[in-house]
Amino acid sequence: MMYLKGGQIIDPVEEEIYRADLEIEDGRIRKILKEGGQAPKEAEVLEAPGLMIAPGLVDTHVHFRDPGFTYKEDILTGARAAAAGGFTQVVLMANTKPCVDRKETLSYVLEKGKQTGIRIHSCATVTVGMKGQELTDMEELAREGAVGFTDDGIPLLQEELVRRAMEEAARLQRPISFHEEDPAFITNNGIHAGKAAAFYGVKGSPREAEISLIKRDLRLALETGAEVVIQHISTKEGVALVREAKKQGARVHAEATPHHFTLTEEALIEKGTLAKMNPPLRTQEDRQAILEGLQDGTIDLIATDHAPHSREEKEKKITEAPSGIIGLETALPLGIRELVKKGYLTLPGLIRKMSTEPCRLYGLEGGRLMEGKPADLVVFDPEETYLVEHFLSKSANSPFIGEELPGVVHAIICAGRLVYHRK
């Protein structure tokens, strides 16, 4: 039994914050005591005066590199980084080696996830070997526990295959997520075809690469009725297209990453490969459109695209270094600084996009603290600041090193167990 005393409960559904104690037993919230109360003698008491208590964060887009690339990250270290960032659940991407295109690999990932203390879910790939030619046995993979489907990292180019994949995902009632970058437009990935490309003397990656595939997939989403996720949206045109598709009734969702709502291509010029990712950081107009999309509900998910790489890989020259940055440990602070403190979202609104909506999309328990529901929660101080310098991730490829950010995670509790506690 556990008792959280003196905290402020965030309700992301009712958009309210209120003072209450929480009594937790057998992995679930037994009582919410708005008038306060007395902790049972047998309870472990966690004092939380002045701290916020919210539903555990849920990241629908992470790369833990396991199996195959565990020198960058593995499921155990990735889970520790997630916990330190306030996440009680994550959804793994499937571009491992081997990729998650068969039940044996999926089983390995899910079984190892059970060792972590948080809830590890996984997508499976849409195509066999992520080659974009043949659909996986999506029905079997769903039956074995895949919560969704994606070939994230590699765009799907064959329209008829995408249509069949959407139809099957709709039949199985699983979301299907798309990495929207048509390589036909791209000379150098991870570098916006603008100021950044000019600075590095390359052609880069133009916005049309994203826009063209978003147009196609929104049309197919309307035609098939599939639950479609546009991953890591980066262009103002992409945001506008999603907004219009939602008005037309498409079951479409869009992710914004903390780096895309915080940074522009100027960061790539300043930080080099530490700010290189796919799709690339773009212009201030694009960043502003993403902020407005988050504000008006066009973008309903905040996901990190946590993508660890080794120091040696990131020290290569700009056109050779891999794209991607880590993000689990800085996501909540960046959301607080860029979205809450600047008036785009309320604190409950931020938690809704980082917990409630991800749970709703993937059919997961969580996203709101209620009596009888799982005791998955994060305890944090939105005003306390810390210096970004150390990570629990195995990698440290972050453009935010050296910054002082608000929003210190003090603890996470998952299934009623204290998984992370900042000393």
Side-chain angles (χ1 to χ4, degrees):
M1 178 177 283
M2 185 177 292
Y3 195 90
L4 272 70
K5 190 171 184 61
Q8 298 286 320
I9 307 297
I10 297 176
D11 186 332
V13 176
E14 297 297 329
E15 276 273 339
E16 63 178 354
I17 300 174
Y18 59 89
R19 158 76 173 82
D21 292 355
L22 289 180
E23 187 177 307
I24 296 169
E25 189 173 31
D26 295 329
R28 295 189 172 263
I29 297 171
R30 185 168 179 265
K31 291 181 182 178
I32 298 177
L33 302 148
K34 291 189 177 182
E35 303 301 322
Q38 186 68 37
K41 290 183 179 180
E42 67 274 21
E44 175 186 0
V45 178
L46 187 64
E47 298 283 352
L51 300 180
M52 297 292 172
I53 302 174
L57 305 182
V58 181
D59 194 339
T60 59
H61 189 155
V62 302
H63 300 269
F64 282 0
R65 309 300 193 195
D66 189 354
F69 304 101
T70 53
Y71 66 94
K72 304 173 190 262
E73 191 81 282
D74 60 56
I75 289 170
L76 302 181
T77 60
R80 285 197 288 271
F87 293 90
T88 55
Q89 304 191 67
V90 297
V91 177
L92 305 184
M93 297 296 98
N95 59 337
T96 50
K97 189 176 181 181
C99 63
V100 186
D101 62 354
R102 52 205 297 262
K103 65 180 182 180
E104 290 81 5
T105 311
L106 177 62
S107 176
Y108 163 82
V109 168
L110 296 179
E111 287 301 313
K112 192 166 182 180
K114 292 176 182 177
Q115 304 172 28
T116 65
I118 68 170
R119 302 182 196 271
I120 303 288
H121 312 283
S122 184
C123 286
T125 63
V126 176
T127 66
V128 175
M130 295 183 66
K131 295 180 180 179
Q133 301 295 320
E134 176 189 356
L135 293 184
T136 56
D137 188 338
M138 295 169 70
E139 182 171 0
E140 178 183 61
L141 289 163
R143 187 170 59 247
E144 295 296 323
V147 295
F149 297 95
T150 182
D151 274 15
D152 178 53
I154 300 179
L156 290 169
L157 302 178
Q158 293 187 25
E159 180 170 327
E160 187 51 39
L161 179 138
V162 172
R163 181 190 298 277
R164 288 192 286 113
M166 284 192 189
E167 290 171 345
E168 184 68 354
R171 184 180 72 83
L172 296 169
Q173 299 184 327
R174 295 288 194 279
I176 183 167
S177 304
F178 292 95
H179 183 128
E180 308 289 42
E181 286 193 295
D182 188 338
F185 292 91
I186 299 171
T187 305
N188 312 98
N189 68 20
I191 304 168
H192 175 59
K195 288 182 182 178
F199 177 84
Y200 288 108
V202 298
K203 291 186 177 179
S205 175
R207 61 202 317 104
E208 290 78 14
E210 176 173 281
I211 297 164
S212 62
L213 289 186
I214 289 179
K215 282 182 178 177
R216 180 200 70 185
D217 291 339
L218 294 180
R219 172 172 53 81
L220 292 175
L222 275 165
E223 293 173 5
T224 63
E227 195 110 48
V228 168
V229 181
I230 305 300
Q231 297 179 300
H232 39 46
I233 200 163
S234 73
T235 60
K236 61 183 180 181
E237 294 89 349
V239 175
L241 286 165
V242 170
R243 183 178 290 116
E244 182 58 30
K246 285 192 169 190
K247 289 178 183 176
Q248 294 176 25
R251 300 173 67 206
V252 62
H253 308 268
E255 294 175 353
T257 69
H259 43 278
H260 283 113
F261 68 63
T262 300
L263 304 173
T264 68
E265 61 182 330
E266 305 286 352
L268 186 68
I269 295 170
E270 179 186 352
K271 304 279 188 177
T273 62
L274 286 180
K276 181 186 179 186
M277 71 281 297
N278 297 339
L281 299 171
R282 300 196 189 272
T283 69
Q284 176 58 26
E285 282 189 352
D286 294 305
R287 187 178 86 91
Q288 187 62 41
I290 292 168
L291 291 168
E292 291 169 4
L294 285 161
Q295 187 173 42
D296 70 14
T298 298
I299 300 171
D300 46 352
L301 305 168
I302 293 173
T304 67
D305 191 13
H306 177 81
H309 293 293
S310 69
R311 175 179 293 181
E312 292 75 17
E313 289 169 323
K314 278 295 191 179
E315 286 178 346
K316 294 178 180 179
K317 66 181 185 179
I318 195 75
T319 53
E320 295 178 3
S323 292
I325 68 169
I326 60 171
L328 285 163
E329 296 172 67
T330 52
L332 178 61
L334 289 170
I336 291 169
R337 187 184 76 181
E338 298 297 325
L339 302 177
V340 177
K341 290 187 176 294
K342 295 180 181 179
Y344 291 99
L345 296 175
T346 62
L347 196 50
L350 176 65
I351 298 301
R352 188 165 61 251
K353 292 182 190 291
M354 297 185 75
S355 181
T356 313
E357 294 301 333
C359 284
R360 183 175 295 147
L361 174 63
Y362 282 96
L364 309 175
E365 279 200 295
R368 192 177 184 187
L369 301 183
M370 298 175 67
E371 291 181 356
K373 296 295 185 181
D376 291 5
L377 49 94
V378 55
V379 182
F380 68 99
D381 187 336
E383 301 300 328
E384 185 181 355
T385 63
Y386 76 105
L387 182 66
V388 180
E389 53 184 346
H390 303 298
F391 300 98
L392 292 187
S393 171
K394 194 178 284 189
S395 295
N397 50 308
S398 168
F400 301 108
I401 294 170
E403 293 196 29
E404 189 162 321
L405 297 178
V408 173
V409 174
H410 282 247
I412 74 156
I413 292 166
C414 187
R417 293 179 56 248
L418 186 62
V419 176
Y420 171 82
H421 193 193
R422 184 182 177 94
K423 302 300 183 183

